[in-house]
Amino acid sequence: MAAPKKAVEGPLVGAVVQTTNSSRFSVFNSKTAELLTHYQVELTQEFPKEGWVEQDPKEILQSVYECIEKTCEKLDELHIDISNIKAIGVSNQRETAIVWDKLTGEPLYNALVWLDLRTQATVENLSKKIPGSNNFVKSKTGLPLSTYFSAVKLRWMLDNVRKVQKAVEDGRALFGTIDSWLIWSLTGGVNGGVHCTDVSNASRTMLFNIHSLEWDKDLCDFFEIPTDILPKVCSSSEIYGHMKAGSLEGVPISGCLGDQSAALIGQMCFQEGQAKNTYDTGCFLLCNTGRKCVFSEHGLLTTVAYKLGRDKPVIYALEGSVAIAGAVVRWLKDNLGILETPEEIEILAKEVGTSYGCYFIPAFSGLYAPYWEPSARGIICGLTQFTNKCHIAFAALEAICFQTREILDAMNRDCGVPFSHLQVDGKMTNNRILMQLQADILHIPIVKPNITETVALGVAMAAGAAKEVDVWSLEPDNLTAIVMEQFEPQIKVTESEVRYATWKRAVMKSMGWVTAQSPESGNSSIFSSLPLGIFIVSSMIILIGARYISGIP
């Protein structure tokens, strides 16, 4: 005899969270904000050439379907009726660009990931077309012209991928960020799929006017992007369509947010001046600026945070974006082989408790905020014969904290009121060494919620609050209080400042590595221009350094 279904107070809401490294589906109780269960699938990234980062859109879509089905199976095992799921939200890695065929449903090229650098030449050429006295791209979008954002990725595909060119000519092409691809596919794909995005994702394309909240003709003309391939822009909380297949067929998809906007909501940062920092593949500090569009004078981005309903006001944010945070841990594991698992970095760092004067600048994709310096590349400096893999692990964690310090300082200057504490979230916040280092380097308390899945919670809240769903109240009196853990600074301000000043010196040394003659510009190896003796010595240093780092005698 089948076990009776477990009674669960309140309707349930599902949340798809699609990130650079994984896809995940979580289910929350809309009355208590309790996470009932989840399922996650790790994803692969492809690196076809130096600086190129791609993902397979079909693998991403399949992973989302798998997560939904496996989560439903887990709910069944918990004797929870999946018919209680009343809405689904979709949150995603932002800026990553996909073009697909609307008649076949097939992607026309791999997704170009936000970290991808192949468009640097495109950016340089476009920069020459912007008058120095009138940076209309930044004034309309809040963004600097950079490889980071979607418009230049789309421009590259239009210039270089014949399948994309042909589909555009034939009127078969659709463009979107990950949210658009998922919602179109989940709501039917070739059989009536809804081609849409929300304001938070649209604002990261460099094609969207953040003042008028629409695709901008001048921007589309500047990037030479046909407007008919762009998705319809919606609010972050409304019914876009319904699931057309699987265990949750018929459930409305009613929330859509870029991952960092979702985290802002999940951290309950609804008031002007409230901020959060998410530690994931990259690191992203967002500060709610309310209905005001605040432009930074210190290298931060102005972006749309969210719009929670068609008739609701748009809310803006200042953002400091760091390209490499958790990605540096993955690099230490996959590329250098000094970690067996990402979690091991905490053990190694704890073993020494110091970097011993070693500083790590993980500028694998150039430097984002506050520098926006594409010529920078990663360096590890301050090495001695005493340096080992534990010191480098510690330096990698410090690097994440120093980068956060830089964007927090910029935000303090833009906002005029220093932060008294910093709310944090993301998978890396489970690393207690990292959290203590962050408190020490910022010299303010770090406040961490007991639930690290704030992205999933935020988009679930948006989905559940949508008109005609109405199962999640966002009224202040009805919001569930989040239990927090606090990390207090444990070192003197002077020590923190000395370490930070040394870090800044190291950052300066990381700049200017990529030039017109470097291999990333399509020319021959960088070593081809070096005398043979320098090449041999350089190679020996690299090899010897690797042996010391790995602990090989």
Side-chain angles (χ1 to χ4, degrees):
M1 182 178 172
K5 297 296 184 184
K6 181 179 177 182
V8 176
E9 275 190 42
L12 310 181
V13 178
V16 172
V17 176
Q18 203 299 301
T19 71
T20 320
N21 294 322
S22 67
S23 297
R24 187 180 183 101
F25 188 66
S26 306
V27 176
F28 294 88
N29 184 322
S30 65
K31 299 304 179 189
T32 64
E34 176 192 1
L35 174 61
L36 299 179
T37 190
H38 66 269
Y39 190 84
Q40 180 169 308
V41 173
E42 299 298 317
L43 295 172
T44 56
Q45 295 175 45
E46 299 176 26
F47 307 94
K49 294 184 182 180
E50 178 68 30
W52 292 28
V53 189
E54 299 179 1
Q55 288 185 300
D56 181 353
K58 292 173 77 172
E59 180 192 359
I60 289 172
L61 178 60
Q62 185 54 44
S63 72
V64 169
Y65 276 123
E66 181 181 349
C67 288
I68 291 172
E69 293 306 313
K70 294 291 187 182
T71 303
C72 288
E73 289 175 16
K74 291 175 77 172
L75 287 171
D76 193 57
E77 290 168 6
L78 294 169
H79 309 303
I80 297 173
D81 193 338
I82 62 171
S83 67
N84 285 328
I85 298 176
K86 303 301 182 185
I88 295 170
V90 174
S91 184
N92 56 287
Q93 52 170 308
R94 303 171 300 170
E95 300 94 19
T96 297
I98 303 176
V99 179
W100 67 95
D101 188 318
K102 66 182 179 183
L103 300 183
T104 67
E106 290 293 309
L108 297 169
Y109 195 74
N110 272 346
L112 298 195
V113 176
W114 56 278
L115 286 166
D116 189 279
L117 292 175
R118 76 188 68 188
T119 56
Q120 186 53 44
T122 305
V123 168
E124 290 169 4
N125 291 332
L126 288 168
S127 295
K128 296 171 186 174
K129 295 165 60 178
I130 299 176
S133 59
N134 178 27
N135 189 341
F136 67 94
V137 174
K138 187 168 185 180
S139 64
K140 286 172 178 279
T141 67
L143 310 174
L145 193 58
S146 166
T147 61
Y148 183 18
F149 306 108
S150 312
V152 290
K153 302 178 194 301
L154 176 54
R155 183 66 258 155
W156 185 91
M157 287 189 273
L158 288 168
D159 289 338
N160 295 280
V161 182
R162 182 55 192 153
K163 278 187 177 180
V164 172
Q165 296 166 353
K166 185 73 166 61
V168 170
E169 291 166 7
D170 295 345
R172 295 181 288 108
L174 294 179
F175 161 78
T177 42
I178 295 289
D179 57 303
S180 296
W181 165 243
L182 292 179
I183 292 173
W184 183 82
S185 301
L186 295 173
T187 56
V190 296
N191 297 310
V194 178
H195 186 215
C196 69
T197 188
D198 91 299
V199 290
S200 72
N201 280 296
S203 74
R204 312 296 292 193
T205 62
M206 276 200 305
L207 300 171
F208 185 71
N209 188 314
I210 61 174
H211 310 287
S212 64
L213 303 182
E214 60 189 5
W215 301 120
D216 190 281
K217 184 182 183 302
D218 292 341
L219 292 169
C220 290
D221 289 347
F222 176 71
F223 289 104
E224 298 180 74
I225 303 296
T227 56
D228 59 345
I229 71 172
L230 302 177
K232 177 185 176 183
V233 182
C234 302
S235 76
S236 311
S237 178
E238 62 180 87
I239 295 176
Y240 315 108
H242 295 77
M243 290 285 291
K244 284 295 191 289
S247 299
L248 298 183
E249 184 177 353
V251 176
I253 298 175
S254 54
C256 179
L257 287 158
D259 52 4
Q260 302 313 316
S261 291
L264 194 71
I265 292 172
Q267 285 267 33
M268 312 297 172
C269 295
F270 292 112
Q271 302 302 313
E272 187 176 332
Q274 290 184 308
K276 67 86 204 172
N277 196 35
T278 298
Y279 299 76
D280 212 317
T281 302
C283 211
F284 304 92
L285 178 58
L286 264 71
C287 179
N288 183 327
T289 62
R291 301 187 191 187
K292 296 190 305 241
C293 209
V294 177
F295 280 83
S296 172
E297 296 180 1
H298 301 95
L300 302 180
L301 308 178
T302 304
T303 196
V304 174
Y306 54 81
K307 187 177 188 292
L308 295 175
R310 293 179 185 176
D311 56 348
K312 301 292 184 182
V314 64
I315 301 299
Y316 295 94
L318 272 177
E319 176 175 336
S321 307
V322 170
I324 304 296
V328 75
V329 180
R330 186 167 182 165
W331 182 81
L332 290 175
K333 180 177 82 72
D334 295 345
N335 292 43
L336 290 195
I338 67 175
L339 303 174
E340 292 292 330
T341 66
E343 292 73 25
E344 189 183 346
I345 193 169
E346 185 172 7
I347 299 169
L348 294 183
K350 189 174 183 179
E351 194 172 310
V352 288
T354 176
S355 66
Y356 200 76
C358 171
Y359 287 83
F360 194 157
I361 313 298
F364 302 154
S365 299
L367 290 169
Y368 283 12
Y371 301 101
W372 298 104
E373 181 49 71
S375 73
R377 284 298 176 270
I379 63 171
I380 302 175
C381 55
L383 297 174
T384 70
Q385 287 186 310
F386 182 72
T387 307
N388 63 33
K389 64 181 182 180
C390 297
H391 298 116
I392 290 175
F394 194 95
L397 294 182
E398 273 193 320
I400 296 167
C401 300
F402 284 130
Q403 290 178 103
T404 298
R405 166 76 187 265
E406 290 190 304
I407 56 178
L408 190 78
D409 283 356
M411 201 161 282
N412 282 336
R413 290 194 291 272
D414 278 327
C415 296
V417 180
F419 285 86
S420 60
H421 67 276
L422 181 63
Q423 291 177 231
V424 300
D425 58 72
K427 189 175 181 181
M428 288 199 75
T429 60
N430 291 323
N431 186 321
R432 300 185 68 81
I433 297 287
L434 177 68
M435 292 296 94
Q436 187 56 58
L437 275 172
Q438 191 68 86
D440 291 343
I441 289 167
L442 296 182
H443 222 76
I444 58 174
I446 298 300
V447 181
K448 172 182 174 291
N450 64 342
I451 174 173
T452 57
E453 296 301 319
T454 52
V455 173
L457 177 59
V459 78
M461 291 166 66
K467 191 174 182 180
E468 296 180 25
V469 175
D470 298 315
V471 297
W472 204 310
S473 173
L474 299 184
E475 293 300 319
D477 292 344
N478 296 328
L479 293 175
T480 305
I482 298 177
V483 178
M484 300 283 191
E485 180 180 7
Q486 192 154 305
F487 293 81
E488 298 286 345
Q490 292 182 355
I491 64 172
K492 294 180 179 178
V493 175
T494 50
E495 181 184 345
S496 174
E497 292 303 314
V498 167
R499 285 159 63 180
Y500 183 48
T502 309
W503 156 267
K504 298 280 277 187
R505 284 169 47 209
V507 169
M508 293 300 110
K509 295 182 184 298
S510 76
M511 296 184 185
W513 284 87
V514 178
T515 65
Q517 286 73 45
S518 69
E520 290 178 37
S521 300
N523 295 331
S524 58
S525 167
I526 193 169
F527 290 121
S528 65
S529 62
L530 295 177
L532 180 60
I534 294 177
F535 172 80
I536 293 171
V537 170
S538 300
S539 301
M540 288 175 65
I541 290 170
I542 292 167
L543 288 170
I544 291 168
R547 288 168 70 88
Y548 273 114
I549 290 166
S550 302
I552 301 171

